[in-house]
Amino acid sequence: MISKPMDFIFKYGSIMVIGIVILFFSFWNEHFFTYSNITDILRSISIVTFVAIGVTFSLTVDGFDLSVGSTVSLTTVVSAALMVWYEQPLIVVIVFPLLIGVVVGLINALLIVRIRIPDLLATLAIMYIVAGIHKTFTKGYSIYNNMQLTDGTTAPGVFREDFLWLGQGKWLGIPIPVILMVIAVAGVHVFFTYTRWGRQMQMTGGNEEAARLSGVRVKRIRTAA
């Protein structure tokens, strides 16, 4: 009898808390539960949601990744630099930072899966390394339109309008980041619930040795995660 209420709380407790918080602030402030405020909140959490999705993959295979924050920071400044410093097209601005993220993930996988360094130690080290690369690359400066460079010249580029639209634009009154967030969350749900790789990741996280004996290629699955 006790297990059923606890199981319900475990599954839906966070949703209930969020509902209570929304209800409380809706009565507390009449401007809280408005369309503009709710969309602003959803826009602000969309970036964190994408990072959380990435961490979800490593958590699913019973791992962890402390380097995600530094990786996000590095890819952010690289995107900005590609526009402001090098005037690159949108496809390069999007794809190149994603490739940087893939490289960082593969380095983590090498340290954790192949060399078998514990997740926390390996990703903590990578976190500091990536943060150092970030600061070295930018020389500690923020990147902005037509900024003055260290040699006294002015950067030739500005942030592209089509790139800014991804973070600031709207479609049918809904912010683009919110739409992308919903698509990503739905896609990850489908992946873990209905695909072979998703189920194998859950098996690996539940019991790695049992998954290996069942024929799951555990190292490949952990590397992918």
PDB file of all heavy atoms in Angstrom, residues 9-30:
ATOM      1  N   ILE A   9       4.411   9.591  -6.370  1.00  0.00           N
ATOM      2  CA  ILE A   9       5.169  10.801  -6.050  1.00  0.00           C
ATOM      3  C   ILE A   9       6.480  10.833  -6.827  1.00  0.00           C
ATOM      4  O   ILE A   9       6.909  11.880  -7.323  1.00  0.00           O
ATOM      5  CB  ILE A   9       5.424  10.899  -4.533  1.00  0.00           C
ATOM      6  CG1 ILE A   9       4.102  11.130  -3.799  1.00  0.00           C
ATOM      7  CG2 ILE A   9       6.404  12.028  -4.211  1.00  0.00           C
ATOM      8  CD1 ILE A   9       4.232  11.076  -2.288  1.00  0.00           C
ATOM      9  N   PHE A  10       7.120   9.666  -6.923  1.00  0.00           N
ATOM     10  CA  PHE A  10       8.389   9.585  -7.651  1.00  0.00           C
ATOM     11  C   PHE A  10       8.205   9.960  -9.123  1.00  0.00           C
ATOM     12  O   PHE A  10       9.044  10.647  -9.712  1.00  0.00           O
ATOM     13  CB  PHE A  10       8.962   8.170  -7.538  1.00  0.00           C
ATOM     14  CG  PHE A  10      10.246   7.973  -8.282  1.00  0.00           C
ATOM     15  CD1 PHE A  10      11.445   8.443  -7.769  1.00  0.00           C
ATOM     16  CD2 PHE A  10      10.265   7.308  -9.508  1.00  0.00           C
ATOM     17  CE1 PHE A  10      12.633   8.268  -8.459  1.00  0.00           C
ATOM     18  CE2 PHE A  10      11.441   7.131 -10.201  1.00  0.00           C
ATOM     19  CZ  PHE A  10      12.630   7.608  -9.674  1.00  0.00           C
ATOM     20  N   LYS A  11       7.100   9.519  -9.714  1.00  0.00           N
ATOM     21  CA  LYS A  11       6.868   9.765 -11.134  1.00  0.00           C
ATOM     22  C   LYS A  11       6.351  11.172 -11.406  1.00  0.00           C
ATOM     23  O   LYS A  11       6.766  11.823 -12.379  1.00  0.00           O
ATOM     24  CB  LYS A  11       5.859   8.738 -11.680  1.00  0.00           C
ATOM     25  CG  LYS A  11       6.416   7.339 -11.833  1.00  0.00           C
ATOM     26  CD  LYS A  11       5.369   6.420 -12.448  1.00  0.00           C
ATOM     27  CE  LYS A  11       5.929   5.023 -12.680  1.00  0.00           C
ATOM     28  NZ  LYS A  11       4.917   4.107 -13.286  1.00  0.00           N
ATOM     29  N   TYR A  12       5.449  11.650 -10.553  1.00  0.00           N
ATOM     30  CA  TYR A  12       4.740  12.897 -10.873  1.00  0.00           C
ATOM     31  C   TYR A  12       4.961  14.001  -9.835  1.00  0.00           C
ATOM     32  O   TYR A  12       4.339  15.060  -9.926  1.00  0.00           O
ATOM     33  CB  TYR A  12       3.235  12.627 -11.008  1.00  0.00           C
ATOM     34  CG  TYR A  12       2.913  11.556 -12.004  1.00  0.00           C
ATOM     35  CD1 TYR A  12       2.489  10.290 -11.591  1.00  0.00           C
ATOM     36  CD2 TYR A  12       3.031  11.789 -13.376  1.00  0.00           C
ATOM     37  CE1 TYR A  12       2.187   9.292 -12.505  1.00  0.00           C
ATOM     38  CE2 TYR A  12       2.727  10.803 -14.293  1.00  0.00           C
ATOM     39  CZ  TYR A  12       2.309   9.559 -13.854  1.00  0.00           C
ATOM     40  OH  TYR A  12       2.019   8.585 -14.773  1.00  0.00           O
ATOM     41  N   GLY A  13       5.836  13.762  -8.860  1.00  0.00           N
ATOM     42  CA  GLY A  13       6.044  14.746  -7.800  1.00  0.00           C
ATOM     43  C   GLY A  13       6.540  16.085  -8.306  1.00  0.00           C
ATOM     44  O   GLY A  13       6.048  17.141  -7.893  1.00  0.00           O
ATOM     45  N   SER A  14       7.498  16.057  -9.236  1.00  0.00           N
ATOM     46  CA  SER A  14       8.055  17.315  -9.754  1.00  0.00           C
ATOM     47  C   SER A  14       7.002  18.107 -10.514  1.00  0.00           C
ATOM     48  O   SER A  14       6.937  19.343 -10.412  1.00  0.00           O
ATOM     49  CB  SER A  14       9.252  17.030 -10.663  1.00  0.00           C
ATOM     50  OG  SER A  14       8.874  16.194 -11.736  1.00  0.00           O
ATOM     51  N   ILE A  15       6.135  17.399 -11.270  1.00  0.00           N
ATOM     52  CA  ILE A  15       5.065  18.071 -12.009  1.00  0.00           C
ATOM     53  C   ILE A  15       4.076  18.710 -11.034  1.00  0.00           C
ATOM     54  O   ILE A  15       3.603  19.836 -11.257  1.00  0.00           O
ATOM     55  CB  ILE A  15       4.341  17.076 -12.936  1.00  0.00           C
ATOM     56  CG1 ILE A  15       5.315  16.538 -13.981  1.00  0.00           C
ATOM     57  CG2 ILE A  15       3.147  17.742 -13.615  1.00  0.00           C
ATOM     58  CD1 ILE A  15       4.720  15.484 -14.884  1.00  0.00           C
ATOM     59  N   MET A  16       3.777  18.009  -9.943  1.00  0.00           N
ATOM     60  CA  MET A  16       2.862  18.549  -8.939  1.00  0.00           C
ATOM     61  C   MET A  16       3.443  19.800  -8.295  1.00  0.00           C
ATOM     62  O   MET A  16       2.727  20.796  -8.091  1.00  0.00           O
ATOM     63  CB  MET A  16       2.586  17.488  -7.870  1.00  0.00           C
ATOM     64  CG  MET A  16       1.785  16.292  -8.381  1.00  0.00           C
ATOM     65  SD  MET A  16       1.738  14.927  -7.194  1.00  0.00           S
ATOM     66  CE  MET A  16       0.947  15.735  -5.807  1.00  0.00           C
ATOM     67  N   VAL A  17       4.730  19.775  -7.983  1.00  0.00           N
ATOM     68  CA  VAL A  17       5.377  20.943  -7.373  1.00  0.00           C
ATOM     69  C   VAL A  17       5.339  22.134  -8.329  1.00  0.00           C
ATOM     70  O   VAL A  17       5.045  23.266  -7.926  1.00  0.00           O
ATOM     71  CB  VAL A  17       6.827  20.613  -6.978  1.00  0.00           C
ATOM     72  CG1 VAL A  17       7.570  21.875  -6.560  1.00  0.00           C
ATOM     73  CG2 VAL A  17       6.848  19.597  -5.844  1.00  0.00           C
ATOM     74  N   ILE A  18       5.638  21.881  -9.605  1.00  0.00           N
ATOM     75  CA  ILE A  18       5.591  22.963 -10.599  1.00  0.00           C
ATOM     76  C   ILE A  18       4.187  23.541 -10.684  1.00  0.00           C
ATOM     77  O   ILE A  18       4.000  24.772 -10.750  1.00  0.00           O
ATOM     78  CB  ILE A  18       6.048  22.442 -11.976  1.00  0.00           C
ATOM     79  CG1 ILE A  18       7.535  22.095 -11.940  1.00  0.00           C
ATOM     80  CG2 ILE A  18       5.773  23.487 -13.065  1.00  0.00           C
ATOM     81  CD1 ILE A  18       8.033  21.409 -13.201  1.00  0.00           C
ATOM     82  N   GLY A  19       3.170  22.677 -10.663  1.00  0.00           N
ATOM     83  CA  GLY A  19       1.784  23.139 -10.702  1.00  0.00           C
ATOM     84  C   GLY A  19       1.440  23.996  -9.498  1.00  0.00           C
ATOM     85  O   GLY A  19       0.769  25.027  -9.628  1.00  0.00           O
ATOM     86  N   ILE A  20       1.903  23.590  -8.316  1.00  0.00           N
ATOM     87  CA  ILE A  20       1.647  24.371  -7.095  1.00  0.00           C
ATOM     88  C   ILE A  20       2.328  25.729  -7.169  1.00  0.00           C
ATOM     89  O   ILE A  20       1.749  26.752  -6.788  1.00  0.00           O
ATOM     90  CB  ILE A  20       2.118  23.576  -5.860  1.00  0.00           C
ATOM     91  CG1 ILE A  20       1.247  22.342  -5.657  1.00  0.00           C
ATOM     92  CG2 ILE A  20       2.085  24.448  -4.611  1.00  0.00           C
ATOM     93  CD1 ILE A  20       1.760  21.385  -4.604  1.00  0.00           C
ATOM     94  N   VAL A  21       3.574  25.748  -7.672  1.00  0.00           N
ATOM     95  CA  VAL A  21       4.311  27.011  -7.800  1.00  0.00           C
ATOM     96  C   VAL A  21       3.589  27.961  -8.752  1.00  0.00           C
ATOM     97  O   VAL A  21       3.428  29.161  -8.467  1.00  0.00           O
ATOM     98  CB  VAL A  21       5.750  26.745  -8.281  1.00  0.00           C
ATOM     99  CG1 VAL A  21       6.437  28.050  -8.675  1.00  0.00           C
ATOM    100  CG2 VAL A  21       6.555  26.028  -7.204  1.00  0.00           C
ATOM    101  N   ILE A  22       3.151  27.430  -9.915  1.00  0.00           N
ATOM    102  CA  ILE A  22       2.430  28.266 -10.883  1.00  0.00           C
ATOM    103  C   ILE A  22       1.141  28.805 -10.266  1.00  0.00           C
ATOM    104  O   ILE A  22       0.808  29.990 -10.415  1.00  0.00           O
ATOM    105  CB  ILE A  22       2.130  27.455 -12.159  1.00  0.00           C
ATOM    106  CG1 ILE A  22       3.424  27.132 -12.899  1.00  0.00           C
ATOM    107  CG2 ILE A  22       1.168  28.223 -13.073  1.00  0.00           C
ATOM    108  CD1 ILE A  22       3.231  26.221 -14.097  1.00  0.00           C
ATOM    109  N   LEU A  23       0.421  27.942  -9.560  1.00  0.00           N
ATOM    110  CA  LEU A  23      -0.833  28.356  -8.925  1.00  0.00           C
ATOM    111  C   LEU A  23      -0.583  29.443  -7.880  1.00  0.00           C
ATOM    112  O   LEU A  23      -1.311  30.448  -7.829  1.00  0.00           O
ATOM    113  CB  LEU A  23      -1.512  27.148  -8.289  1.00  0.00           C
ATOM    114  CG  LEU A  23      -2.954  27.340  -7.791  1.00  0.00           C
ATOM    115  CD1 LEU A  23      -3.866  27.673  -8.968  1.00  0.00           C
ATOM    116  CD2 LEU A  23      -3.435  26.085  -7.071  1.00  0.00           C
ATOM    117  N   PHE A  24       0.451  29.267  -7.077  1.00  0.00           N
ATOM    118  CA  PHE A  24       0.754  30.237  -6.021  1.00  0.00           C
ATOM    119  C   PHE A  24       1.076  31.609  -6.597  1.00  0.00           C
ATOM    120  O   PHE A  24       0.503  32.627  -6.173  1.00  0.00           O
ATOM    121  CB  PHE A  24       1.929  29.734  -5.168  1.00  0.00           C
ATOM    122  CG  PHE A  24       2.438  30.742  -4.173  1.00  0.00           C
ATOM    123  CD1 PHE A  24       1.764  30.944  -2.978  1.00  0.00           C
ATOM    124  CD2 PHE A  24       3.569  31.493  -4.447  1.00  0.00           C
ATOM    125  CE1 PHE A  24       2.230  31.878  -2.058  1.00  0.00           C
ATOM    126  CE2 PHE A  24       4.035  32.429  -3.541  1.00  0.00           C
ATOM    127  CZ  PHE A  24       3.362  32.619  -2.339  1.00  0.00           C
ATOM    128  N   PHE A  25       1.983  31.647  -7.574  1.00  0.00           N
ATOM    129  CA  PHE A  25       2.384  32.942  -8.128  1.00  0.00           C
ATOM    130  C   PHE A  25       1.288  33.561  -8.983  1.00  0.00           C
ATOM    131  O   PHE A  25       1.250  34.783  -9.158  1.00  0.00           O
ATOM    132  CB  PHE A  25       3.680  32.796  -8.928  1.00  0.00           C
ATOM    133  CG  PHE A  25       4.909  32.712  -8.072  1.00  0.00           C
ATOM    134  CD1 PHE A  25       5.552  31.506  -7.878  1.00  0.00           C
ATOM    135  CD2 PHE A  25       5.400  33.844  -7.440  1.00  0.00           C
ATOM    136  CE1 PHE A  25       6.678  31.415  -7.076  1.00  0.00           C
ATOM    137  CE2 PHE A  25       6.526  33.771  -6.631  1.00  0.00           C
ATOM    138  CZ  PHE A  25       7.176  32.553  -6.451  1.00  0.00           C
ATOM    139  N   SER A  26       0.396  32.743  -9.519  1.00  0.00           N
ATOM    140  CA  SER A  26      -0.734  33.285 -10.277  1.00  0.00           C
ATOM    141  C   SER A  26      -1.664  34.079  -9.363  1.00  0.00           C
ATOM    142  O   SER A  26      -2.198  35.129  -9.752  1.00  0.00           O
ATOM    143  CB  SER A  26      -1.500  32.158 -10.967  1.00  0.00           C
ATOM    144  OG  SER A  26      -0.693  31.488 -11.907  1.00  0.00           O
ATOM    145  N   PHE A  27      -1.870  33.577  -8.135  1.00  0.00           N
ATOM    146  CA  PHE A  27      -2.685  34.319  -7.158  1.00  0.00           C
ATOM    147  C   PHE A  27      -1.896  35.469  -6.537  1.00  0.00           C
ATOM    148  O   PHE A  27      -2.463  36.490  -6.167  1.00  0.00           O
ATOM    149  CB  PHE A  27      -3.183  33.373  -6.066  1.00  0.00           C
ATOM    150  CG  PHE A  27      -4.315  32.493  -6.501  1.00  0.00           C
ATOM    151  CD1 PHE A  27      -4.124  31.142  -6.716  1.00  0.00           C
ATOM    152  CD2 PHE A  27      -5.581  33.025  -6.718  1.00  0.00           C
ATOM    153  CE1 PHE A  27      -5.172  30.321  -7.122  1.00  0.00           C
ATOM    154  CE2 PHE A  27      -6.634  32.223  -7.122  1.00  0.00           C
ATOM    155  CZ  PHE A  27      -6.432  30.864  -7.324  1.00  0.00           C
ATOM    156  N   TRP A  28      -0.600  35.303  -6.420  1.00  0.00           N
ATOM    157  CA  TRP A  28       0.244  36.318  -5.776  1.00  0.00           C
ATOM    158  C   TRP A  28       0.394  37.559  -6.644  1.00  0.00           C
ATOM    159  O   TRP A  28       0.384  38.684  -6.153  1.00  0.00           O
ATOM    160  CB  TRP A  28       1.607  35.726  -5.458  1.00  0.00           C
ATOM    161  CG  TRP A  28       2.539  36.656  -4.739  1.00  0.00           C
ATOM    162  CD1 TRP A  28       3.424  37.530  -5.285  1.00  0.00           C
ATOM    163  CD2 TRP A  28       2.653  36.829  -3.321  1.00  0.00           C
ATOM    164  NE1 TRP A  28       4.098  38.225  -4.328  1.00  0.00           N
ATOM    165  CE2 TRP A  28       3.639  37.807  -3.099  1.00  0.00           C
ATOM    166  CE3 TRP A  28       2.012  36.228  -2.230  1.00  0.00           C
ATOM    167  CZ2 TRP A  28       3.998  38.199  -1.814  1.00  0.00           C
ATOM    168  CZ3 TRP A  28       2.388  36.629  -0.963  1.00  0.00           C
ATOM    169  CH2 TRP A  28       3.368  37.596  -0.770  1.00  0.00           C
ATOM    170  N   ASN A  29       0.539  37.343  -7.970  1.00  0.00           N
ATOM    171  CA  ASN A  29       0.770  38.457  -8.889  1.00  0.00           C
ATOM    172  C   ASN A  29      -0.090  38.253 -10.130  1.00  0.00           C
ATOM    173  O   ASN A  29       0.033  37.235 -10.815  1.00  0.00           O
ATOM    174  CB  ASN A  29       2.264  38.534  -9.276  1.00  0.00           C
ATOM    175  CG  ASN A  29       2.601  39.809 -10.028  1.00  0.00           C
ATOM    176  OD1 ASN A  29       1.830  40.274 -10.865  1.00  0.00           O
ATOM    177  ND2 ASN A  29       3.758  40.376  -9.732  1.00  0.00           N
ATOM    178  N   GLU A  30      -0.936  39.220 -10.407  1.00  0.00           N
ATOM    179  CA  GLU A  30      -1.871  39.090 -11.529  1.00  0.00           C
ATOM    180  C   GLU A  30      -1.163  39.066 -12.881  1.00  0.00           C
ATOM    181  O   GLU A  30      -1.742  38.633 -13.885  1.00  0.00           O
ATOM    182  CB  GLU A  30      -2.874  40.241 -11.501  1.00  0.00           C
ATOM    183  CG  GLU A  30      -2.234  41.617 -11.642  1.00  0.00           C
ATOM    184  CD  GLU A  30      -3.261  42.737 -11.617  1.00  0.00           C
ATOM    185  OE1 GLU A  30      -4.456  42.440 -11.428  1.00  0.00           O
ATOM    186  OE2 GLU A  30      -2.859  43.902 -11.791  1.00  0.00           O
TER     187      GLU A  30
END
